[in-house]
Amino acid sequence: MRESTITFDSVDGLKIQTYLWEPEGEPRAVVQLQHGLGEHAGRYRRFGEALTDAGFVVYAPDARGSGRTAGGAYGHWGRDGWPGWVEDLNQLNRRIRADRRGLPVALIGHSMGSFASQQYLLNHSAEVDAVVLIGTTEVSGLADMLSGPADLSAFNAGFEHRTGFEWLTRDEAEVDKYCADPECGFETQPFEGIQTLKRAADPDELAKIRADLPVLIVSGDADPIADRGAAPELVGRRYRDAGLTDVEVVIYPEARHELLNETNRDEVTERILGFLARVLG
């Protein structure tokens, strides 16, 4: 895997730092990879290597308020707040389609990145050829919770309390890496404009998504935002009710929030790669 960095401009003046991970040969397709809250794109190198080994070129931004983009001001979301986070997906997608004309584009979002992806699709489903939502949930009730400062450690209720972040994965080494990373686990400012996320649960809005868009949803039934798998199943059902004809939902028993860092991560990765191979050719 060859790694470099590009930047793109947000509409409110931020420079979004983005990893570019390229395969050795000509790419077969593009993956636009959006990380979650309280982390950064550098944590996805292992997944990036699996994608590039399979022939994909990967664009993985450090979202606003995160990683290198934050410049140390972690959890500060810029002038446009949550709508800006969603619009950043659109700005990067435009860059990708200009850079990689003719290649299909898959959007993969984890956690907060999956929520942004759900909202992005309402107006931009024509710009992507496949979608994977990892560690996602139904978002209508989530917007109210995220209107205030987000304390991620609150999700650890019901798990062992060795570090307070056991809800992320059963793999203790991965939890320790997260806790030792100064760019992870930070408290955040409230998301201005987060109420717009509720649009992604509105049937009239979901009806705007093109019916032939393939969607894969993967979650663990021990993920505290998944309601034992019921919440991602609801997301899938809403897409089907909106007319989408190719929607898969896969729930992994006992798996927690970060499926790409879970003890069964190889199984999850292979499932995602198989989906991309099927729908992108």
Side-chain angles (χ1 to χ4, degrees):
M1 181 177 78
R2 293 178 288 136
E3 178 176 299
S4 57
T5 297
I6 66 166
T7 63
F8 67 93
D9 294 327
S10 72
V11 296
D12 57 347
L14 301 176
K15 292 283 187 185
I16 309 297
Q17 303 290 320
T18 304
Y19 291 108
L20 177 60
W21 294 324
E22 297 179 272
E24 294 302 322
E26 288 297 314
R28 62 194 286 192
V30 184
V31 167
Q32 179 177 344
L33 178 61
Q34 195 70 34
H35 68 74
L37 184 63
E39 59 161 349
H40 57 91
R43 300 183 70 230
Y44 290 75
R45 279 191 181 88
R46 177 172 56 214
F47 185 52
E49 288 177 352
L51 289 168
T52 56
D53 285 349
F56 297 96
V57 56
V58 183
Y59 289 71
D62 283 338
R64 58 177 58 215
S66 309
R68 301 160 301 163
T69 298
Y74 304 118
H76 293 256
W77 308 123
R79 184 196 71 198
D80 288 355
W82 175 252
W85 183 307
V86 178
E87 177 58 26
D88 292 343
L89 272 69
N90 183 43
Q91 295 301 309
L92 178 54
N93 183 271
R94 291 174 62 186
R95 170 67 181 269
I96 289 170
R97 288 185 290 116
D99 287 352
R100 309 286 175 171
R101 294 186 185 278
L103 287 182
V105 180
L107 175 62
I108 300 181
H110 166 70
S111 193
M112 203 74 179
S114 78
F115 312 153
S117 297
Q118 289 188 44
Q119 187 168 338
Y120 168 83
L121 291 177
L122 303 179
N123 298 106
H124 300 286
S125 65
E127 274 75 63
V128 293
D129 298 280
V131 176
V132 180
L133 303 177
I134 306 171
T136 201
T137 191
E138 82 85 23
V139 295
S140 59
L142 199 66
D144 293 332
M145 185 189 78
L146 292 170
S147 295
D151 180 8
L152 299 182
S153 63
F155 288 121
N156 214 58
F159 294 95
E160 63 273 26
H161 282 266
R162 186 176 63 87
T163 68
F165 288 94
E166 279 63 45
W167 65 280
L168 294 176
T169 169
R170 293 166 290 180
D171 189 328
E172 291 187 358
E174 292 296 331
V175 173
D176 290 342
K177 287 180 189 177
Y178 181 92
C179 293
D181 190 335
E183 296 182 331
C184 289
F186 48 84
E187 292 189 6
T188 73
Q189 289 185 332
F191 275 105
E192 297 294 333
I194 191 65
Q195 295 300 320
T196 62
L197 180 57
K198 292 183 177 181
R199 293 177 55 223
D202 183 334
D204 291 336
E205 296 285 345
L206 289 167
K208 299 176 182 178
I209 301 174
R210 61 184 178 90
D212 62 345
L213 178 67
V215 177
L216 171 65
I217 300 169
V218 291
S219 180
D221 71 1
D223 183 344
I225 74 168
D227 189 20
R228 302 199 65 79
E233 291 281 8
L234 176 57
V235 175
R237 185 162 64 251
R238 284 175 174 164
Y239 285 139
R240 295 186 193 101
D241 290 345
L244 276 69
T245 58
D246 188 351
V247 179
E248 293 184 55
V249 181
V250 182
I251 308 297
Y252 292 95
E254 301 183 17
R256 302 181 188 180
H257 185 60
E258 289 194 344
L259 286 178
L260 296 177
N261 290 322
E262 254 292 1
T263 54
N264 65 322
R265 54 184 170 260
D266 292 343
E267 176 188 14
V268 175
T269 298
E270 286 303 312
R271 187 62 178 257
I272 294 171
L273 291 175
F275 168 77
L276 294 178
R278 176 177 70 79
V279 300
L280 299 181

